[in-house]
Amino acid sequence: MHKKSELQQYVTKAINDLSSQPWFPTDYCNVASKHLFDVLKQSWEKNIRLQHSYREPWDGHTYLIINENWKDIILDPTYAQYDSEYKDWFVWEHFPDKTLEENRMEQKDFMKKQKEWFDDGVYDNL
């Protein structure tokens, strides 16, 4: 039987603890990802960061990235809003959704992109 890494064990425990809380949002990526980020950052010495993607300018998405063994691993507590196959959580290196995968970017770059959209009037008629 395959033994889980220390990271897998730690993340699994954090996910199970968080998702069992009645206040934890399973359909709001910003809040869910920030809660998970805070829990993992408190006591885990790994490189953990928030990352963003989007399908359309008004359809942004927030999730976490953990770097382990030189690989970025996506931790997405709300990916089920894009693919019902992932009812609980999505943990992988790449999104199955091609658009989300192609539009991945770091938080500062996403904030710049949102400012561009705002300046271009993208949000005016939403």
Side-chain angles (χ1 to χ4, degrees), residues 4-5 8 10 25 29 38 44 52 56 58 73 77 82 90-93 100 110 118:
K4 282 187 174 184
S5 72
Q8 288 171 316
Y10 185 82
C29 63
D38 291 344
W44 191 252
H52 304 272
E56 301 287 338
W58 56 89
I73 307 297
Y82 296 103
F90 177 82
V91 179
W92 206 247
E93 291 179 47
L100 284 176
F110 188 67
F118 180 78

Side-chain angles (χ1 to χ4, degrees), residues 24-40:
F24 186 76
T26 57
D27 59 352
Y28 188 38
C29 63
N30 288 338
V31 175
S33 293
K34 181 65 169 107
H35 280 306
L36 181 57
F37 176 84
D38 291 344
V39 166
L40 294 177

